[in-house]
Amino acid sequence: MAGPTIDALGQFSLTTGLGSLGRAVNFTNSNEAMLGAAVIIVAVFALGLKSRALVPGRAQSLVEMLYEFVHSMCVDTIGEEGLRFFPLVFTIFSFILLGNLIGLFPYFFAFTSHIAVTLALALFVFVFSTGVGFYTHGFKFLKFFVPEGVPVWLLPLLVPIEIISYLSRPVSLSVRLFANMTAGHVMWEVFAGFMLLLTASLGVLGAFASVVPLSLNVALAALELLVAGLQAYVFAILTCLYLHDAVHMH
């Protein structure tokens, strides 16, 4: 009889969500997780702001802390103009943060570990920030690709480099989030598989030996919590930086 095997990538497989209704509209478990994340976000903020007490409780304190954190991020990075973009940045931050966190729980799907999702978010940010640039400055926004103080004879070399660097933004933004979340979940699955392999192959001795990968998995769980918050912050702060470039062109 074959023993247990490690299928580190099986956790990322797309399956049908919502049963027969999902099959009819090609609704996957990834869509299901995204919809669930959106519902949880709305519910948390609705409940947290329901009382609006002068002395906030735990739920209200959490909501206000997240609000102040993203508000400060927008104002400090973009300037006072950043208040216009606060709802967008706050929505993106909350959605990615919860998407990263729910993927750490059993039977939940980590939709931020799929490049299709992260690329869609990154492309939206890229197109939106570019649109803001042209809306704010018109065709003068094209000067963004012309470095100041550079000799004219160097422009044919530097302008294409600037354009390529600008167009690579959605790639780097999406791959960073996707790669970090995927790598963390793969490592988690591998060490969990080691515990099963050791127990199955070595019996009682394997149960004692599996303490090592178990300890590593506990440490990885703490690390994954940190990465979940950090990657949501990185995505949000880069969004703010791109909007800063679009508004100020420097």
Side-chain angles (χ1 to χ4, degrees):
M1 182 180 295
T5 58
I6 300 176
D7 182 15
L9 299 179
Q11 58 185 310
F12 306 117
S13 299
L14 291 176
T15 59
T16 302
L18 299 182
S20 58
L21 177 62
R23 283 192 293 272
V25 296
N26 198 24
F27 194 84
T28 67
N29 53 342
S30 179
N31 303 130
E32 196 174 46
M34 286 187 279
L35 180 61
V39 171
I40 292 173
I41 291 170
V42 173
V44 166
F45 282 91
L47 293 174
L49 298 176
K50 184 178 181 180
S51 61
R52 300 184 182 180
L54 184 61
V55 180
R58 293 180 180 179
Q60 185 177 338
S61 296
L62 174 63
V63 170
E64 290 180 354
M65 181 179 66
L66 289 174
Y67 181 96
E68 288 295 332
F69 177 74
V70 180
H71 181 275
S72 299
M73 185 194 307
C74 290
V75 174
D76 294 344
T77 307
I78 307 173
E80 289 300 324
E81 301 90 341
L83 293 177
R84 293 184 296 164
F85 309 110
F86 168 76
L88 171 68
V89 177
F90 188 77
T91 301
I92 290 174
F93 174 79
S94 302
F95 183 70
I96 293 177
L97 177 62
L98 193 59
N100 292 345
L101 291 176
I102 65 175
L104 302 178
F105 291 90
Y107 306 110
F108 281 85
F109 189 82
F111 59 82
T112 50
S113 62
H114 268 215
I115 188 64
V117 175
T118 60
L119 182 59
L121 291 170
L123 284 173
F124 174 80
V125 170
F126 174 77
V127 172
F128 180 81
S129 59
T130 303
V132 169
F134 279 106
Y135 177 81
T136 305
H137 305 285
F139 285 103
K140 291 182 180 179
F141 181 64
L142 295 175
K143 292 182 179 179
F144 180 77
F145 305 107
V146 182
E148 295 183 2
V150 174
V152 176
W153 62 272
L154 272 178
L155 291 180
L157 174 64
L158 293 181
V159 170
I161 293 176
E162 290 291 328
I163 294 175
I164 293 172
S165 175
Y166 187 83
L167 294 177
S168 68
R169 285 181 172 185
V171 178
S172 62
L173 194 61
S174 60
V175 170
R176 182 183 293 106
L177 176 58
F178 151 74
N180 277 279
M181 298 312 300
T182 301
H185 282 73
V186 167
M187 290 178 63
W188 215 357
E189 185 81 14
V190 167
F191 284 113
F194 281 160
M195 290 187 293
L196 297 176
L197 290 174
L198 289 172
T199 303
S201 59
L202 300 178
V204 177
L205 182 60
F208 285 101
S210 64
V211 172
V212 175
L214 175 61
S215 302
L216 291 173
N217 246 12
V218 172
L220 279 174
L223 180 62
E224 280 292 281
L225 285 173
L226 175 63
V227 170
L230 182 61
Q231 288 305 312
Y233 168 76
V234 169
F235 201 102
I237 194 67
L238 287 176
T239 300
C240 290
L241 288 173
Y242 297 160
L243 290 170
H244 172 273
D245 291 343
V247 172
H248 300 287
M249 288 184 59
H250 61 77

